[in-house]
């Protein structure tokens, strides 16, 4: 299906209920764009995930979708075009009746052509997005448990970067999280592990990785 649509990019973005939370983003977009997108919390002004929250069915979009929103959304679309993100297809992904994520495929082909392909491949696109969503949820859940203790994705992410010798400031730059969010995540991780320092927490995390053969 992706080949038929001539799509060259994809993005899987979670849509957290709390606007202060940084969404999980998996994409093959230019890393300069994704890093900037996360660091600036551009999901808050991006009209695509905002529209995905309002609908339940797959939708195709072009820059004119931004016209329904505010100037910040239009500015974001202008910036994204420099990275080849001009038009695409997005599938809202729902759990328990609410939208929790969105899968987007980006294409550069002429609008009339890809809209026609979308109409003929709606079921396949939805199936692809749903199966990818289910798989990613399983993968993200796996590895969140250390010694029977369940950690959030953010806590594990911060522990991982800390184990690589990154400071809290480094982690904020790498992940796009706010400094206080990094501090909170590491503090929660330490509390769950029953230790007082990040160094102690990292040692436990490193031993856990060795036990799983992922170090």
């Amino acid at each position: 299906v992706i080949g038929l649509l001539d799509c060259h990019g994809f993005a899987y973005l979670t849509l957290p209920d709390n606007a202060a939370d940084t969404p999980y983003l998996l994409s093959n977009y230019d890393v300069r764009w994704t890093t900037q997108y996360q660091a600036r919390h551009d999901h808050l002004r991006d009209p695509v995930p905002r529209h995905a929250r309002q609908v339940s069915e797959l939708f195709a979009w072009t820059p004119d979708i931004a016209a329904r929103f505010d100037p910040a959304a239009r500015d974001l679309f202008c910036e994204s075009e420099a990275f080849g993100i001009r038009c695409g297809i997005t599938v809202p992904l729902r759990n328990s009746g609410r939208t929790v994520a969105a899968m987007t495929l980006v294409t550069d082909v002429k609008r009339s052509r890809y809209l026609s392909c979308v109409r003929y491949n709606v079921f396949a696109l939805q199936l692809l997005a749903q199966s990818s969503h289910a798989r990613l949820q399983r993968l993200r859940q796996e590895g969140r448990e250390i010694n029977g203790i369940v950690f959030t994705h953010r806590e594990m992410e911060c522990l991982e970067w800390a184990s690589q010798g990154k400071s809290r400031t480094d982690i904020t730059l790498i992940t796009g999280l706010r400094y206080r969010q990094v501090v909170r995540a590491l503090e929660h991780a330490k509390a769950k592990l029953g230790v007082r320092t990040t160094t102690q927490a990292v040692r436990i995390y490193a031993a856990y990785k060795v036990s799983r053969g992922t170090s």
Side-chain angles (χ1 to χ4, degrees), residues 75-93:
D75 290 344
L76 182 68
F77 259 82
C78 289
E79 294 174 25
S80 70
E81 288 188 8
F83 295 91
I85 303 170
R86 297 182 180 86
C87 52
I89 302 99
T90 295
V91 182
L93 299 161

Side-chain angles (χ1 to χ4, degrees), residues 142-183:
E142 292 171 1
R144 283 193 183 182
E145 203 173 281
I146 300 176
N147 300 334
I149 304 167
V150 177
F151 292 77
T152 66
H153 171 73
R154 179 175 296 172
E155 290 163 356
M156 292 293 278
E157 183 178 30
C158 290
L159 277 174
E160 171 60 31
W161 287 115
S163 73
Q164 296 184 32
K166 303 300 183 183
S167 68
R168 293 175 178 181
T169 300
D170 292 335
I171 296 172
T172 64
L173 295 173
I174 294 168
T175 64
L177 295 172
R178 296 183 178 91
Y179 185 82
R180 69 174 182 273
Q181 292 176 315
V182 173
V183 171

Side-chain angles (χ1 to χ4, degrees), residues 72-120:
R74 293 193 289 274
D75 290 344
L76 182 68
F77 259 82
C78 289
E79 294 174 25
S80 70
E81 288 188 8
F83 295 91
I85 303 170
R86 297 182 180 86
C87 52
I89 302 99
T90 295
V91 182
L93 299 161
R94 304 169 72 84
N95 285 346
S96 303
R98 65 186 183 88
T99 302
V100 296
M103 178 70 78
T104 294
L105 303 177
V106 178
T107 176
D108 280 333
V109 300
K110 292 182 179 179
R111 181 177 181 178
S112 59
R113 177 181 168 187
Y114 87 80
L115 286 179
S116 176
C117 288
V118 168
R119 284 194 292 270
Y120 284 107

Side-chain angles (χ1 to χ4, degrees), residues 38-84:
Q38 291 284 71
R40 299 190 313 188
H41 302 278
D42 281 339
H43 64 285
L44 297 176
R45 61 176 179 142
D46 188 341
V48 174
R50 288 166 68 182
H51 188 62
R53 286 187 181 278
Q54 300 169 8
V55 300
S56 58
E57 300 297 327
L58 171 154
F59 61 94
W61 51 267
T62 57
D64 58 11
I65 191 176
R68 309 176 196 174
F69 293 89
D70 48 49
R74 293 193 289 274
D75 290 344
L76 182 68
F77 259 82
C78 289
E79 294 174 25
S80 70
E81 288 188 8
F83 295 91

